[in-house]
Amino acid sequence: MRELPLRTESALRKRREILQLSVRRMYGTGIVIRGTTQTIWKALKGKPCTREELAARAGVCSQSVTAFIKENRSRIHVCTWRKPAGKYVEVFKAGAGIDAPKPPPKPRSQTYADWWQRLKRDRPDVAGHRIARDNHRRDMRSGKLVRRDPAAVAIFGPAARGA
């Protein structure tokens, strides 16, 4: 991995015969070990982190971190959840333990209320247009909207429409 830094571990494994690489196995077993496993373990034992932080700290790709988590899920646990942007992400910690429960999602009404507050704050022109449109539609449905009589338009002309 150090000699071919731009290749992922799975790419090297697929081209093992072409590159004439040896198969790395745990001593006394037939289990193939990954070259990034030790690096990821060292990074994870430092302090709890998310998948992205673990990949950056270990200097490996996100696919290697995902494969590591799948293979070692019994030896690591989710200690908490973070919400950096949008969705919740799990924070992993070395050592077996009980996973922290994922926080429940926001109710849909709260999501829409937050969206409306952001819209009014960031785009007041769009929010004002939506309010005016909704008021107009409500007045049309309820019959409160005053309409000019066609006879009045014929007598006073089209200029009287706006008056």
Side-chain angles (χ1 to χ4, degrees), residues 41 72-80 91-101:
W41 265 119
N72 298 291
R73 194 63 180 93
S74 62
R75 299 190 296 170
I76 59 176
H77 68 280
V78 177
C79 62
T80 186
V91 178
F92 292 101
K93 186 174 184 180
I98 298 172
D99 289 344

Side-chain angles (χ1 to χ4, degrees), residues 9-132:
E9 190 169 349
S10 60
L12 293 176
R13 191 175 296 127
K14 288 176 186 175
R15 293 168 183 82
R16 181 177 289 137
E17 290 84 19
I18 297 169
L19 297 172
Q20 298 175 351
L21 300 173
S22 61
V23 177
R24 297 181 64 172
R25 298 184 186 278
M26 294 177 90
Y27 183 72
T29 66
I31 300 171
V32 177
I33 61 170
R34 295 179 178 273
T36 57
T37 302
Q38 301 299 332
T39 310
I40 296 173
W41 265 119
K42 287 178 186 175
L44 187 60
K45 287 182 180 177
K47 70 175 193 175
C49 53
T50 64
R51 290 173 191 256
E52 290 179 5
E53 294 168 350
L54 187 58
R57 197 180 300 166
V60 297
C61 66
S62 60
Q63 292 173 340
S64 296
V65 171
T66 300
F68 170 82
I69 290 170
K70 283 181 182 178
E71 292 170 359
N72 298 291
R73 194 63 180 93
S74 62
R75 299 190 296 170
I76 59 176
H77 68 280
V78 177
C79 62
T80 186
W81 292 80
R82 282 190 209 148
K83 191 172 182 180
K87 296 182 178 182
Y88 284 103
V89 293
E90 62 266 271
V91 178
F92 292 101
K93 186 174 184 180
I98 298 172
D99 289 344
K102 185 175 182 177
K106 273 193 217 177
R108 190 170 295 270
S109 60
Q110 183 62 41
T111 302
Y112 288 140
D114 293 346
W115 170 81
W116 182 243
Q117 292 300 320
R118 277 195 318 274
L119 185 70
K120 287 195 297 188
R121 182 187 67 230
D122 299 339
R123 299 288 309 272
D125 56 331
V126 175
H129 181 273
R130 290 177 70 94
I131 291 170

